[in-house]
Amino acid sequence: MDLKDLLGPGGPISQNMPGYEHRLQQIKVAIAIQNALKTKRHCLAEAGTGVGKSMAYIIPAAEHALNGNKVIISSHTLYLQAQLMNKDIPFVQNAIPQMPFTAVIMKGRTNYLCLNNLDAETPQLLLTSNPFFERIREWAKETQTGDVAELDFAFPEWEEICSDQDTCHRQECRFYHKCFYYKARKAASEADIVITNHSLFFSDLAIRMTDPNAGVLPDYKVVIFDEAHHLEDVATKVFGIEFSNWRIPSFLNKIRRTKGISLDPKRIQTIEKLNQDFFGIFINYQKQEFFFEDIYREQSQDEIENVVSILTTMLDGLNRELSEQETEGRQELEDRLNGLKRMCTRISEELKLLFFGTEDGYFKWGEKASSGKLANCYLRYSPLSVADLLYHSLWKQVDTAVLTSATLSNSGRFDYIKARLGIPDCVEIIEDSPFDFRNQSLLYIPKHLDFPSESPEYADKIADEIEHIVHASGGRAFLLFTSYRMMNAVYERLLTRLPYVLLKQGDMPNEQLVQEFLRLNNACLFGVHSFWEGVDIRGEALSCVVIDKLPFGVPDNPLNRARINSIKAAGRDWFREYAMPQAQIRLKQGFGRLIRKKDDRGVVAILDSRLVKKHYGKEFLKYLPPSPITHSIEDVEAFFAKVIGRRA
């Protein structure tokens, strides 16, 4: 199959795509992926904004799949999953009918309704009081997928009725032939291409590492990772343990909701009180993020581990008590008890590993967060590096793995991601965006600013700078921050000074914020983290992106600190090897929010004078899109005056 004919002028893609633009970069990326598939090599492919990387891997993937090779395509976000399944793949299937490939989406099992759990959720078994319960029952009769994403209302007790590994009876379940989860798995086994997400992919990989025949996904020899810059974070989470302060209370609530069992109420109360007091140690610690060693300096390690021993002993006793319950022949009650026992066993085992595990290459840490009035605490047992894990379990096992993203390289090379993920030598390609950044954009760096700090005085200066920029742009701005603290400080200073609606992350769901931003057409959106990438706003509604400072990872974050200490212990340069590559990739993501199509125009302002005053600043600038650079706010005003004049 000649990709130049398919993707080039006069080909089926151009004939079926309104507003088609010939992009040589897209063809080059597609050919590199095609060659990697044919030669059974791995491939790293960076494709800048506008290249059209989805099409560049879907077509070679479909060709390869039709030759009898199942292909897994994994993304990080639900947005991209939906775009692939609902837009990009149907387009290719329609445009190239001579490639009759099939594709399905496979999500994690908790996304699917469990008919057995739904049937058990009755007044005879459970204390059900949710007013939406009957709507769930009606939906269950109509839905073809059982996917929670179909619901147009929130159902807080979804975890009671979704598919769950602990309550699943597999082929022995009386609903097995109707099971939505197993129907999805069957469809995946029969499809040429399976769309999934990184979390499910690595969860499946972790299962295969202990039992090669127990995977959730169908067997595969080819995997394509889009948004591949997230792989290390997802793999680190999946190959470790995460234990929250709500884990045990949630389990105990399941027990309380179950009719027909008789347990010692004092045991349940004791477990709940132990859990509350135990997590109180971590919740009351002064830092938001911490190593266990930090806690042990203030609270005896022996005392904490003694509480864990008591707690797990109580849980094991509760498990025995669950095993002794009389079910009087009630199958649904026996099924629920078996599920509760498996949950109890898993909780106890993970707690023991979390506090008594001594596996080399793992470290223990925690973090706190607040959700409204609720305090959330997460304790983690994480691998220091996933490179060896992935090298042996993934890169050596599959014929071809393709990793692609708009931000995969740093300093024009793939050294960082190859080292972090353990990727061997492979096909490598970097194709820049086809957009004309020299004429479409301007990069403003106010070199008169001091180096960034968290001081109130610096927040004042940042607010003043943003006020000038946003007045020039007429609103229509994304204001991206590296911390909630600075975002909130600047927001408070500008709330009464700007004549535009100010939207702030956290005030409403992200998707709703984006919709409101588009509706208003001249708003300013204050965001952190999740707004640096994955948000695709085209046209004049977004004409300015302001970034408060270079997005270096926080050195005191336990995950960063553990990795940095490991690099330093090996005698290597942690700043060049770890901190700079991370920040370069993140900065490119933030910059990429501005120009999303060929006629977009606007300004990116990076309010960090280190770009021009520090020796490493040139390295950042060299690998950003080639926008003209100015240090003058007057140039910004002139740029927008010209753009606004044209628009008028």
Side-chain angles (χ1 to χ4, degrees), residues 4 30 95 134 181 211 295 312 352 377 433 450-451 501-502 558 612 631 635 646:
K4 293 179 181 178
E134 286 307 316
Y181 172 65
D211 184 352
I295 300 289
T312 54
K352 291 171 185 174
C377 182
S433 170
D450 298 331
F451 289 167
V501 175
L502 305 189
V612 290
H631 309 299
D635 289 342
R646 285 186 178 181

Side-chain angles (χ1 to χ4, degrees), residues 259-271:
K259 289 183 177 181
I261 60 176
S262 178
L263 299 175
D264 180 359
K266 290 185 179 179
R267 184 190 298 276
I268 293 178
Q269 291 169 8
T270 301
I271 292 174

Side-chain angles (χ1 to χ4, degrees), residues 58-72:
I58 288 172
I59 294 175
E63 176 194 35
H64 197 67
L66 287 172
N67 290 326
N69 307 288
K70 188 176 295 291
V71 176
I72 306 291

Side-chain angles (χ1 to χ4, degrees), residues 93 127 214 229 312 379 411 635:
Q93 290 170 324
L127 299 169
H229 55 282
T312 54
L379 305 180
S411 297
D635 289 342

Side-chain angles (χ1 to χ4, degrees), residues 420-435:
R420 298 306 308 172
L421 298 179
I423 301 170
D425 289 338
C426 57
V427 176
E428 299 179 9
I429 182 171
I430 297 175
E431 289 295 329
D432 293 332
S433 170
F435 299 144

Side-chain angles (χ1 to χ4, degrees), residues 305-331:
E305 290 181 349
N306 183 54
V307 174
V308 174
S309 295
I310 295 171
L311 185 53
T312 54
T313 299
M314 294 291 291
L315 286 166
D316 294 341
L318 177 61
N319 211 344
R320 288 191 297 273
E321 202 172 348
L322 288 169
S323 299
E324 296 167 357
Q325 294 299 301
E326 294 292 337
T327 62
E328 299 177 351
R330 295 172 57 192
Q331 186 62 48

